[in-house]
Amino acid sequence: MKKLLGPIVIIVVIIAIFAAILIPSYNGFVNGEEGVNKAYAQIENQLQRRMDLIPNLVNTVKGFAAHEEEVLGNIADARSRMAGANTPEEQAEANNELSGALSRLLVVVENYPELKADANFRQLMDELAGTENRLSVAREDYNAVVSDYNKKVKRMPGNIIASIFGFDEKEYFEADAAAQEAPNVDFEGDGE
């Protein structure tokens, strides 16, 4: 009996050490993944808020600029694509398209000084600007959480534990390369 007690104690100690390493690492991945999901949900909240504001903005502009159907149609199309996007990559792409359409709308607005003076339009623009700021912060927070999580997935011994339990790298919410170019705003009013 005493001969078996030594190997049993060693096996129990090895299992205890392995569990002491494995359980906190696993829980760290679970917490990290939930952090990524939470940060992504904040992006989705702000995208939804923006999507809810856009129809009101478009309707306000329609009253002043009825012949700007192409710009308004582009916004509607971009908004539809945003609603259909499911992954961070698809949402980032749709977000960039929608941002471009909104930039073109702002160029159109420059041709309508009475629209810029409209209280409803100004309020909607202020709300949209606030939403854009919150969206920017949410994207930054999301990408920071994804960075931390992806480091855990790639580093030793986390990469071993991540591969055993199926924790994969997460996608960043990245801007399109075209987003680095500022929109061309024409204050001369000739539309060129």
Side-chain angles (χ1 to χ4, degrees):
M1 184 69 150
K2 287 186 176 182
K3 289 184 177 183
L4 291 178
L5 188 60
I8 291 174
V9 169
I10 292 173
I11 291 172
V12 169
V13 168
I14 291 172
I15 291 173
I17 291 171
F18 185 70
I21 293 171
L22 181 68
I23 291 172
S25 292
Y26 177 83
N27 289 340
F29 280 111
V30 170
N31 291 339
E33 193 168 55
E34 283 303 307
V36 168
N37 292 340
K38 179 182 174 187
Y40 187 63
Q42 288 304 314
I43 290 175
E44 288 181 319
N45 287 341
Q46 296 309 319
L47 290 173
Q48 183 62 50
R49 177 177 160 76
R50 182 212 249 169
M51 296 261 299
D52 293 345
L53 288 171
I54 289 172
N56 294 331
L57 183 64
V58 168
N59 287 333
T60 301
V61 173
K62 274 184 183 179
F64 287 89
H67 61 283
E68 304 290 352
E69 289 298 319
E70 181 181 350
V71 172
L72 300 175
N74 288 342
I75 290 173
D77 292 344
R79 189 171 176 267
S80 295
R81 279 191 270 297
M82 177 63 89
N86 294 318
T87 66
E89 183 179 6
E90 289 174 357
Q91 284 188 323
E93 191 175 304
N95 177 59
N96 293 332
E97 186 177 332
L98 185 56
S99 293
L102 287 173
S103 294
R104 289 186 291 282
L105 176 66
L106 295 179
V107 171
V108 167
V109 166
E110 291 299 321
N111 294 324
Y112 299 93
E114 65 276 4
L115 174 60
K116 290 191 301 186
D118 182 71
N120 189 34
F121 177 77
R122 283 195 322 263
Q123 178 187 359
L124 287 169
M125 288 304 296
D126 287 346
E127 288 184 36
L128 188 59
T131 299
E132 292 296 329
N133 289 337
R134 285 189 289 277
L135 183 55
S136 176
V137 170
R139 285 191 305 251
E140 186 177 328
D141 291 347
Y142 172 78
N143 285 340
V145 171
V146 167
S147 175
D148 291 343
Y149 177 82
N150 285 348
K151 287 176 193 174
K152 287 178 76 169
V153 169
K154 291 179 181 180
R155 290 182 181 158
M156 287 289 287
N159 61 350
I160 296 169
I161 296 168
S163 65
I164 290 172
F165 291 105
F167 292 103
D168 297 321
E169 285 185 59
K170 302 295 182 185
E171 294 178 36
Y172 288 97
F173 198 100
E174 297 178 347
D176 185 36
Q180 295 179 11
E181 295 178 28
N184 184 21
V185 178
D186 180 12
F187 290 104
E188 299 298 318
D190 61 4
E192 299 286 321

